Amino acid sequence: MFNYFYHRSYLTFALIIALFIIGVMGLISMPKNLFPDSDRPTIIVITQISGATAKVAASTVSKPIEEEISRLAMIREVSSVNVANFSIVKGEFEYEKGLDAAAVDVNNALSIASSKLPAGANPAIYTSGAFTRPVEVITLSSKNSNLTLPDLRKIADSFIKPYLLSKPDIGNVEVFGGYQSAINIELDPLKAKKYGLDFNKVANVITATNKDMPLGFLKGKNGFFTLTYYGDHADIDSVKNIFVAPNVHLKDIAKVKWGYQKRFSGYMGNGKEGIAMAVQRAPGGSVLDVSKATRTELEKLKVQYPNIEFQISDTQRDLIETANDNMLEALRDAVIYTLIVMMFFLGNFRAIIAAGLSIPLVFFGTIAIIYLFGGELNIVVYTAIILALGMLVDDAVVVLENIERHISEVKEDLNTAIEEGTKEVLSPIFSGTVATIVIMFPLMFVGDFPQHIFRPLISTLIIALLVSYFLSITFIPKLSLYLYKNGTQKNRIEKFFERLYQASFGRLVAPYISILHFTNGRYAVWRKLLLTVGVLALLIISVSNIMPIIGKDTMPPMDTGIIKAHIVFSANDRVEDSEAKMKPFLTWLHQQPEVTMSSVAFGSETGVLSLGSGNLPSEAIITINCVNRFQRKKSLWTIEDEIRDQLHTLLGIKTVEVYDFGATPMSSIKAPLDVRITSSDFENLPEMAEKVAQALAPIKGLTSITQSWASDFNELKVDIDTNKALSYGLTPAAIAEQIPINGRILSMSGSLSSMSTQYVRLYLKGSFSEDIQSLKSMLIQTPAGDELPLTALATISNNLTQAKIERDQMLYSIDVNGFRTTRPVTHITSDAIEALKTVNTAGYNVTQQGDIISLNDSFTRMIKAIATGIVILAITLIVIYRSVGLGLIMIVVLPLSLIGASWGMLLFDKPSCMPSLIGILLLFGIIIKNAVLLVDFYQDFRKKESPFESAVESVRVRFRPVMMTAFGTIAGMIPIALEQAVGLERLSPLADVAIGGLIVGTLLTLVYVPMFAYGFDRDK
């Protein structure tokens, strides 16, 4: 490859320039997100059953649907949330299934389950993932009294939503906040009776007539014609004039008005009541592109609707823009730190120039390849490039250094020195690159969550290494023609840095050589054994004592500036009650200098996943955006404590959960600590959950303990006396049909010109749905035409029941959730397991379903990947060096770097986690690259010297480049270790491990690789 490109200058530079230009284009236009999408394919089935309790929804709707979905291939988990009027079933599939295939399979399963569902139950299918979370939430409120919230809802549904959906960058728009428009009909039972009508007769007539009906077509000699009956009445006056009996209009017996459905949801944005519009991206779409398109259109909407106030009340944009800007700044700092280290170790401006030009070329070359393969930019990709800096610089410096040696020591002319000097190091550079890639490569196929979150990091590292290798053997030799055209003399500044190096790190060469002489003295075998046993003892002591102290996490907590809260008032509270109780808190919240915006969603709405899905009217989900952590003094967890204390002062508050955005590594995990109790019967689950919650309460590090549902909903139970009812010719079903307090949906009324539709709902006039005494006095008509009060046929009593019921894996379930600050999840979980031993859980299945599940699975997979990488690496090295001994020697020194890695995590106060395991892989890659260079030079010297002298010379010659690579890489990792970007808290353990491991591992590599190399050299 070197000869081919070196003698084709135009091709070489054309290729480099092309990659640079494509890289710039990619940096500008590639999708930008915070982290890679890592949610499993999830399908949600929402079924509305008017008037059904949670118990009825669970048994008659969720259960049949769950049974069919559970039979599907590659299904991972099936669960459901059941509340009054709604069944929400969630099916989570393995990654390999794919979102589209999962949706098709669930749709087929629903076709089978439909025959088992109650009449009128029409399940709707929705796909869910990271794209479900709103990119922007826009709050619509009125600037004056001319527009009411129902008016705003109508405008949002009928005009603004279709307008936004017409823009190609916007994936979806969900409208939330109650006040869904409807044509409400209040039937006067006395007037209806005058005409021989009752509720059911009126309902049936309206249902049958208020709709368009295609009748067929006519085809004959005169042509082809469609035949249609248009019965849909699109305005109030038309509905009023519907005939419900001969010569009887609907307006004669009922009051018809345009209004809104009974409210079970509400919204408050930035402390003000309003209608929310959640703008979402398509799967795989760019958050910033969607945000840019939304805000552009928002400015146009402000002009078009001057009486409506548009406010952003939640956004992902600020977080991602800040993170991306921070990462570019961190990359800039990493380059500066790396060049400073290079100058210190090499004292060579030519090397600085070469590295200074190579780094941006590698950066944009890597971005170009990612762009061409349809990738995206996120913190993980930027981190990979920063991590690779030290290794990237090393390739260029090795080539440059060897060319300089050929000029100054071998006394070759410039062209010969460039060619021969480059060829001489092709093998070690290639071997080091291959070795680094080989050890990391298995992680790309580790499977499940670790693969999806870290594959971009590993693939970016591999691309960067390959681009660096290419540039080091093509661009650097060409650049050398200009750098060395005036010779290799050093100026004063370079000589100053040379003296500085020799007076510091250069002094360490002699002690290293002395250690090698010590191992080759009398009783050499015992001396080597002493050093080996000593370092192994240090390794065992360090790992065995530090790891239990630091604990484990799947991913460490991070301060994103976004706080989430889930609060629950009394189960019988209306949305209006919850909103009123929330207002004092929101007034206080927006007085805090750290807070920029807030979004509060009460209850749930059919088909809306991004806000309030599965919540009761008495529940609220709060999203609070704060200024980023570089612009405030308080940590996110301090602000959370203040918010938690303030929420506890609210009137009628029952439970409070306050936690940071991204508190769990995956959205499907409910809480860091999740104790799930399952049973075939739901009645006693809340009682057991209370006992578990009490046992978990004293655990250190938990900020809240809550249970997912309870039996605290005050229900009115209608107990019909069947015997008495039958004596009047009535059945319980016939009586139930005459209690239409839920507002029966009769039809959909639409207007083509405005694209608006609304339900036509029939209610019985009076306060039957609001007042218990009115309900008791409701008149029930018998087949004989007599009327009896409801209390003559039934007793109405109060009863505590379940407002919400959950199911998991075909069993009824309840979760006891615990949120934390920063204490490792393994410590919390082990304390929870001990606490649960004090609770008698006989007859129940109690399992841990929090972060610990993902942690154990991820660690098992990643440790297997590391082991696989080491095995493949050993085979690769044996093949490259044609020596089993040398191949294994380089492998044996890898675990020694874990001494520094463990101390690094302890000193930086970070738990063992997935990023730290990635750090170990990266650490092994750098250590093995340095070991390869040592062994390669050992073999070169071995051709003319003894094994021991070859070992000494390899240390003497390679000490400076090895130390420069290690400390150059450390310098590049400083911005990551110092968490100089929002979101880097998640990845900083990677740098902490690598920094600690490189410091110790490099020092030990320079002793043990040459010691084992000459010690096991058979050709002595």
Side-chain angles (χ1 to χ4, degrees), residues 12 22 47 197 253 268 310 389 405 532 575 582 589 626 628 636 716 729 746 889 905 908-909 927:
T12 300
I22 295 171
T47 310
L197 297 170
I253 59 171
M268 301 178 78
F310 295 87
L389 280 180
R405 186 176 66 85
T532 304
V575 168
M582 181 65 71
L589 181 69
C626 303
N628 71 67
L636 193 71
L716 291 178
L746 305 181
I889 283 168
M905 285 187 284
F908 281 99
D909 192 25
I927 295 293

Side-chain angles (χ1 to χ4, degrees), residues 498-613:
E498 177 66 25
R499 291 193 299 270
L500 185 62
Y501 167 77
Q502 294 297 344
S504 53
F505 277 82
R507 293 178 178 272
L508 296 176
V509 177
Y512 270 100
I513 293 175
S514 299
I515 293 172
L516 287 177
H517 279 287
F518 169 79
T519 64
N520 197 40
R522 191 179 180 185
Y523 307 115
V525 174
W526 290 103
R527 293 185 181 200
K528 292 184 183 70
L529 185 62
L530 176 64
L531 286 180
T532 304
V533 171
V535 77
L536 287 176
L538 181 60
L539 172 64
I540 294 169
I541 291 171
S542 298
V543 174
S544 62
N545 285 280
I546 291 175
M547 290 303 174
I549 294 174
I550 62 176
K552 293 180 182 178
D553 265 332
T554 308
M555 300 285 276
M558 63 177 176
D559 183 343
T560 60
I562 300 177
I563 297 171
K564 303 285 287 187
H566 176 216
I567 65 170
V568 181
F569 295 105
S570 171
N572 284 87
D573 277 356
R574 303 169 304 159
V575 168
E576 293 83 356
D577 300 328
S578 302
E579 289 174 338
K581 292 175 180 179
M582 181 65 71
K583 285 181 180 178
F585 166 76
L586 294 175
T587 301
W588 169 87
L589 181 69
H590 284 277
Q591 292 172 351
Q592 309 310 304
E594 300 86 3
V595 175
T596 59
M597 59 185 74
S598 68
S599 169
V600 187
F602 300 88
S604 305
E605 288 187 18
T606 307
V608 179
L609 303 182
S610 59
L611 296 168
S613 181

Side-chain angles (χ1 to χ4, degrees), residues 286-486:
S286 168
V287 169
L288 293 187
D289 287 347
V290 174
S291 176
K292 182 179 178 180
T294 302
R295 297 196 182 194
T296 299
E297 300 306 325
L298 195 57
E299 294 305 313
K300 298 176 183 177
L301 289 170
K302 288 179 180 178
V303 175
Q304 187 176 354
Y305 298 97
N307 291 325
I308 299 178
E309 184 176 1
F310 295 87
Q311 282 191 346
I312 302 292
S313 52
D314 186 19
T315 181
Q316 293 188 55
R317 177 175 181 157
D318 294 347
L319 173 60
I320 293 175
E321 278 191 333
T322 301
N324 275 272
D325 291 344
N326 289 164
M327 289 304 295
L328 289 174
E329 293 168 0
L331 179 62
R332 176 203 62 199
D333 295 344
V335 171
I336 294 171
Y337 300 154
T338 302
L339 294 178
I340 291 172
V341 168
M342 283 184 62
M343 192 64 195
F344 171 78
F345 277 97
L346 298 179
N348 189 331
F349 276 123
R350 296 177 184 86
I352 298 299
I353 293 170
L357 292 174
S358 296
I359 288 172
L361 289 178
V362 171
F363 172 74
F364 285 108
T366 303
I367 295 293
I369 295 173
I370 296 172
Y371 176 54
L372 291 173
F373 281 90
E376 68 173 24
L377 288 176
N378 51 56
I379 284 181
V380 173
V381 171
Y382 285 126
T383 301
I385 295 173
I386 293 174
L387 292 173
L389 280 180
M391 294 183 282
L392 307 181
V393 167
D394 186 53
D395 288 345
V397 169
V398 167
V399 172
L400 206 66
E401 191 181 48
N402 211 46
I403 291 171
E404 187 171 321
R405 186 176 66 85
H406 274 257
I407 295 172
S408 57
E409 296 179 14
V410 185
K411 307 299 181 183
E412 294 174 342
D413 65 88
L414 183 56
N415 282 312
T416 304
I418 290 173
E419 288 200 45
E420 295 302 318
T422 304
K423 289 178 181 178
E424 193 173 81
V425 293
L426 282 178
S427 177
I429 291 177
F430 177 76
S431 300
T433 301
V434 170
T436 306
I437 290 173
V438 159
I439 197 168
M440 295 187 295
F441 189 72
L443 192 64
M444 291 184 65
F445 305 96
V446 71
D448 211 68
F449 178 65
Q451 175 176 310
H452 282 77
I453 196 72
F454 287 118
R455 176 178 270 188
L457 186 143
I458 301 301
S459 61
T460 302
L461 272 173
I462 291 173
I463 292 169
L465 288 170
L466 292 174
V467 173
S468 172
Y469 172 73
F470 173 77
L471 290 173
S472 67
I473 64 173
T474 57
F475 175 71
I476 297 300
K478 285 295 180 184
L479 184 64
S480 300
L481 288 169
Y482 301 95
L483 294 177
Y484 291 106
K485 64 181 180 181
N486 296 322

Side-chain angles (χ1 to χ4, degrees), residues 79-323:
S79 60
S80 69
V81 176
N82 303 274
V83 297
N85 301 316
F86 289 105
S87 155
I88 304 172
V89 179
K90 183 172 76 171
E92 185 179 80
F93 291 80
E94 300 291 353
Y95 286 105
E96 295 79 7
K97 184 73 173 181
L99 196 60
D100 292 339
V104 170
D105 281 3
V106 170
N107 186 58
N108 293 336
L110 287 180
S111 299
I112 300 172
S114 60
S115 62
K116 306 174 187 177
L117 301 180
N122 296 306
I125 296 177
Y126 302 88
T127 55
S128 178
F131 57 88
T132 306
R133 183 171 181 256
V135 172
E136 306 275 15
V137 177
I138 306 167
T139 303
L140 277 62
S141 57
S142 178
K143 291 182 178 180
N144 50 53
S145 58
N146 294 333
L147 287 174
T148 63
L149 288 175
D151 295 333
L152 292 172
R153 178 66 188 244
K154 186 69 175 177
I155 293 170
D157 278 325
S158 300
F159 301 103
I160 299 178
K161 177 178 177 177
Y163 173 76
L164 291 175
L165 286 175
S166 69
K167 307 306 170 184
D169 287 326
I170 294 175
N172 188 35
V173 178
E174 294 183 338
V175 183
F176 184 87
Y179 299 102
Q180 298 98 319
S181 62
I183 296 176
N184 294 328
I185 304 170
E186 294 183 2
L187 181 67
D188 187 323
L190 297 178
K191 289 182 179 179
K193 184 181 179 182
K194 177 182 175 182
Y195 296 103
L197 297 170
D198 59 22
F199 186 92
N200 287 324
K201 288 180 182 179
V202 173
N204 292 336
V205 170
I206 297 174
T207 302
T209 58
N210 190 38
K211 61 183 179 180
D212 296 336
M213 292 180 283
L215 304 178
F217 61 88
L218 298 177
K219 184 178 181 183
K221 294 179 180 180
N222 295 326
F224 175 82
F225 306 92
T226 57
L227 191 63
T228 308
Y229 167 75
Y230 290 102
D232 180 20
H233 297 81
D235 57 75
I236 297 295
D237 290 335
S238 297
V239 175
K240 288 180 179 179
N241 288 313
I242 291 175
F243 283 102
V244 291
N247 301 317
V248 180
H249 292 97
L250 180 60
K251 63 183 179 182
D252 297 331
I253 59 171
K255 183 179 180 181
V256 182
K257 62 180 180 179
W258 181 82
Y260 55 86
Q261 303 172 29
K262 289 185 178 180
R263 288 183 63 208
F264 296 99
S265 60
Y267 185 79
M268 301 178 78
N270 297 330
K272 190 175 182 180
E273 288 185 61
I275 301 299
M277 301 194 71
V279 182
Q280 300 165 311
R281 62 187 172 101
S286 168
V287 169
L288 293 187
D289 287 347
V290 174
S291 176
K292 182 179 178 180
T294 302
R295 297 196 182 194
T296 299
E297 300 306 325
L298 195 57
E299 294 305 313
K300 298 176 183 177
L301 289 170
K302 288 179 180 178
V303 175
Q304 187 176 354
Y305 298 97
N307 291 325
I308 299 178
E309 184 176 1
F310 295 87
Q311 282 191 346
I312 302 292
S313 52
D314 186 19
T315 181
Q316 293 188 55
R317 177 175 181 157
D318 294 347
L319 173 60
I320 293 175
E321 278 191 333
T322 301

